[in-house]
C-alpha cells in the first residue's frame, strides 16, 4: 500500500534498536491522521500493516505479533457492566489495543463502589459508569475507540447492541440480568466471557452456542447471591477481570477460548485454583 | 466409602472436619448434602472429580466434591 499516509509515516517514524522495530510516536501519529482524515485507530492499523509500531503498543510487541496486533485493533467487543469487573476489563482491553469497545452500564457511581471499582472516584460519584469509563479510556488508550452506552441492556435493546460485535464480556453485577445477555449473544453465535465474585471467591468461564457452561450458575434469577453475604473484595474482582481479559484476548488473537464450557474457580482465602467442566 | 468435600464461598462452613466424609456405599450427591447439613436449594453447582454432577449422581470411594452457591457479584 502506498499513499500519502505511508509516505508521511516513512518520514516521521523512528527506530527502537533494542527491539529492532520501527516506531511512531503518538503525537506524530495524531498529526498524520489529522492530515489524512483518519481516526487514530485507523491510523494505528495502517502503521502496523506497514511494519511500524505505534509507541503506546510497543511493549505488546513480541508477546503479540503484528498480525495479532492488527486483529486486536480491528476487533469489536461489547463489555456489559462498567463496575467492579467491567472497570478492570475495560482498562486491560483498552491498554492491550482492542480497537473498539462498546461499554454498557446504566448505573452511576456511589460511595460503596470505592472499595474495588477502578473507575470510581470521589470526584465521579453520581456520574454514569460507562461514560466515566469511556473518558478514562480516551486518556489512557487513545488508539482505541470506546463508546459508552449509558443504559442497561435488556431483551429489547440487546439485538442492536450486539450488531457487529465479535465477543461479549459479561461483567454484570448480580444474577438476574445475566441470562438474557448470554442467550441473546449465543443465539447470534457470539461467544460470551463471564465472571463473578463473592468475597475472596472468583469464578470465570466462557460459553459458545455449542458449549454452554458457567451460566448454569445463574439459571435461577431469584437465587440468593453469595456476594450479598460475603461482599466484593478488590483482589478477587481484579483477578477475575484479568482472567476475563486474557480469555477475550485469546479469542480475538487465536479464535480459541480456554474456558468454553468450563469454570475457573479461584479461592483467594485458601489460594486454591481449579478448573471445572460445567457442560 | 469415603469422599473428599470442599464447600466454597457462603457454604465453606459446611466442609466437614478434615474435608472427608464417610458415606454408605451407593450414596449420592444429595446424600452428601444432607450429611453436611445442606439442602439442594442452598447449592447451585456441584462438581464430582471436577465435572458437573446432578443431585442423584451416584458416588464412588475417593470421589472429590466441590460445592458452590450462586456467585453473581461484579
Amino acid at each position: 500500500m502506498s499513499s500519502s499516509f505511508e509516505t508521511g509515516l516513512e518520514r516521521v517514524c523512528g527506530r527502537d534498536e533494542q527491539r529492532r522495530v520501527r516506531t511512531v510516536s503518538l503525537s506524530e501519529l495524531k498529526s498524520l491522521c489529522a492530515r489524512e482524515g483518519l481516526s487514530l485507530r485507523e491510523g494505528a492499523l495502517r502503521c502496523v500493516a506497514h511494519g511500524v509500531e505505534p509507541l503506546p503498543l510497543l511493549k505488546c510487541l513480541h508477546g503479540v505479533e503484528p498480525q495479532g496486533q492488527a486483529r486486536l485493533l480491528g476487533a469489536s467487543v461489547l463489555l456489559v457492566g462498567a463496575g467492579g469487573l467491567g472497570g478492570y476489563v475495560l482498562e486491560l482491553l483498552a491498554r492491550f489495543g482492542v480497537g473498539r469497545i462498546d461499554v454498557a452500564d446504566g448505573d452511576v457511581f456511589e460511595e460503596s463502589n470505592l472499595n474495588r471499582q477502578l473507575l470510581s472516584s470521589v470526584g465521579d460519584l453520581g456520574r454514569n459508569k460507562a461514560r466515566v469509563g469511556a473518558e478514562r479510556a480516551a486518556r489512557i488508550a487513545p488508539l482505541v475507540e470506546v463508546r459508552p452506552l449509558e443504559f442497561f441492556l435488556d431483551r429489547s435493546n440487546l439485538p442492536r447492541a450486539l450488531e457487529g460485535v465479535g465477543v461479549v464480556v459479561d461483567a454484570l453485577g448480580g444474577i438476574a440480568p445475566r441470562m438474557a445477555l448470554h442467550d441473546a449473544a449465543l443465539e447470534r453465535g457470539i461467544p460470551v466471557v463471564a465472571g463473578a465474585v463473592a468475597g475472596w471467591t472468583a469464578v470465570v468461564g466462557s460459553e459458545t452456542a455449542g458449549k454452554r457452561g458457567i451460566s448454569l450458575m445463574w439459571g435461577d434469577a431469584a437465587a440468593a447471591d453469595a456476594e450479598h453475604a460475603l461482599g466484593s473484595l478488590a483482589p478477587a474482582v481484579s483477578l477475575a477481570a484479568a482472567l476475563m481479559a486474557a480469555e477475550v484476548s485469546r479469542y480475538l488473537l487465536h479464535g480459541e477460548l480456554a474456558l468454553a464450557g468450563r469454570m475457573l474457580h479461584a479461592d483467594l482465602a485458601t489460594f486454591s485454583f481449579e478448573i471445572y467442566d460445567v457442560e | 466409602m469415603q469422599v473428599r468435600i470442599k464447600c466454597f464461598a457462603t457454604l465453606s462452613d459446611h466442609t466437614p472436619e478434615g474435608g472427608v466424609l464417610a458415606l454408605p456405599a451407593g450414596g449420592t450427591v444429595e446424600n452428601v448434602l444432607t450429611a453436611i447439613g445442606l439442602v439442594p436449594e442452598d447449592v447451585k453447582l456441584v462438581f464430582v472429580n471436577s465435572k458437573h454432577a446432578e443431585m442423584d449422581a451416584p458416588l464412588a470411594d475417593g470421589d472429590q466434591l466441590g460445592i458452590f452457591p450462586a456467585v453473581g457479584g461484579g
Side-chain angles (χ1 to χ4, degrees), chain A residues 85 174 178 197 218 225-226 274 277, chain B residues 8 50-52 70-74:
Chain A
L85 295 169
R178 291 183 186 255
V197 297
W218 307 307
D225 185 346
E274 187 152 1
D277 285 329
Chain B
F8 295 108
S50 300
K51 292 189 183 340
H52 179 236
V71 173

Side-chain angles (χ1 to χ4, degrees), chain A residues 80-144:
Chain A
V80 187
L85 295 169
Y88 282 106
V89 171
L90 177 62
E91 181 89 4
L92 297 173
L93 294 184
R95 288 192 190 271
F96 203 46
V98 173
R100 174 163 295 159
I101 305 168
D102 285 350
V103 54
D105 202 317
D107 203 4
V108 298
F109 284 113
E110 50 189 274
E111 288 187 29
S112 63
N113 301 148
L114 292 169
N115 78 315
R116 69 197 185 284
Q117 298 194 12
L118 176 70
L119 297 171
S120 67
S121 64
V122 173
D124 282 330
L125 295 177
R127 299 191 65 223
N128 176 267
K129 294 181 178 184
R131 173 171 287 264
V132 171
E135 289 172 358
R136 177 171 170 85
R139 291 196 300 275
I140 63 169
L143 304 185
V144 310

Side-chain angles (χ1 to χ4, degrees), chain A:
Chain A
M1 191 190 312
S2 178
S3 76
S4 57
F5 180 88
E6 280 71 20
T7 306
L9 184 59
E10 288 287 343
R11 205 163 42 239
V12 299
C13 72
R15 184 169 175 83
D16 185 297
E17 291 301 339
Q18 199 178 21
R19 291 176 180 76
R20 296 179 183 176
V21 63
R22 293 189 297 167
T23 61
V24 62
S25 71
L26 185 58
S27 61
E28 295 284 11
L29 180 57
K30 276 183 177 170
S31 303
L32 273 173
C33 288
R35 203 178 312 149
E36 300 293 326
L38 297 174
S39 71
L40 276 174
R41 176 167 87 125
E42 291 167 331
L45 267 167
R46 296 273 285 267
C47 291
V48 172
H50 198 65
V52 177
E53 189 71 6
L55 277 174
L57 296 173
L58 179 64
K59 294 290 183 95
C60 291
L61 200 60
H62 304 317
V64 177
E65 294 307 318
Q67 307 93 302
Q69 197 70 72
R71 274 198 291 277
L72 292 173
L73 280 166
S76 182
V77 172
L78 174 64
L79 170 59
V80 187
L85 295 169
Y88 282 106
V89 171
L90 177 62
E91 181 89 4
L92 297 173
L93 294 184
R95 288 192 190 271
F96 203 46
V98 173
R100 174 163 295 159
I101 305 168
D102 285 350
V103 54
D105 202 317
D107 203 4
V108 298
F109 284 113
E110 50 189 274
E111 288 187 29
S112 63
N113 301 148
L114 292 169
N115 78 315
R116 69 197 185 284
Q117 298 194 12
L118 176 70
L119 297 171
S120 67
S121 64
V122 173
D124 282 330
L125 295 177
R127 299 191 65 223
N128 176 267
K129 294 181 178 184
R131 173 171 287 264
V132 171
E135 289 172 358
R136 177 171 170 85
R139 291 196 300 275
I140 63 169
L143 304 185
V144 310
E145 295 165 6
V146 175
R147 187 171 62 163
L149 307 179
E150 299 177 42
F151 45 83
F152 293 111
L153 294 181
D154 55 30
R155 289 184 199 279
S156 69
N157 54 19
L158 269 167
R160 181 142 184 224
L162 287 165
E163 279 173 21
V165 167
V167 57
V168 167
V169 184
D170 168 6
L172 286 160
I175 291 169
R178 291 183 186 255
M179 205 51 105
L181 173 64
H182 285 241
D183 288 345
L186 297 173
E187 275 167 20
R188 289 162 177 77
I190 305 169
V192 181
V193 176
V197 297
W200 295 105
T201 295
V203 294
V204 175
S206 303
E207 297 193 315
T208 64
K211 276 197 175 183
R212 294 299 293 253
I214 192 169
S215 66
L216 263 187
M217 179 74 97
W218 307 307
D220 175 8
D225 185 346
E227 189 264 352
H228 296 160
L230 299 176
S232 191
L233 304 178
V237 172
S238 53
L239 174 68
L243 294 167
M244 293 161 75
E247 178 78 328
V248 169
S249 305
R250 179 186 177 90
Y251 181 74
L252 296 177
L253 287 168
H254 307 298
E256 298 169 359
L257 291 160
L259 295 175
R262 307 165 91 193
M263 182 179 91
L264 188 155
H265 166 237
D267 180 353
L268 295 180
T270 58
F271 270 73
S272 67
F273 298 79
E274 187 152 1
I275 293 178
Y276 297 98
D277 285 329
V278 193
E279 267 188 290

Side-chain angles (χ1 to χ4, degrees), chain B residues 14-67:
Chain B
H14 291 267
T15 301
E17 192 73 26
V20 176
L21 182 75
L23 201 66
T28 64
V29 168
E30 188 162 4
N31 296 148
V32 166
L33 297 187
T34 305
I36 61 175
L38 290 169
V39 292
E41 293 72 41
D42 298 328
V43 171
K44 198 63 213 176
L45 290 175
V46 177
F47 299 96
V48 177
N49 302 328
S50 300
K51 292 189 183 340
H52 179 236
E54 301 295 340
M55 286 296 154
D56 59 358
L59 298 171
D61 188 46
D63 278 351
Q64 302 203 23
L65 280 76
I67 300 173

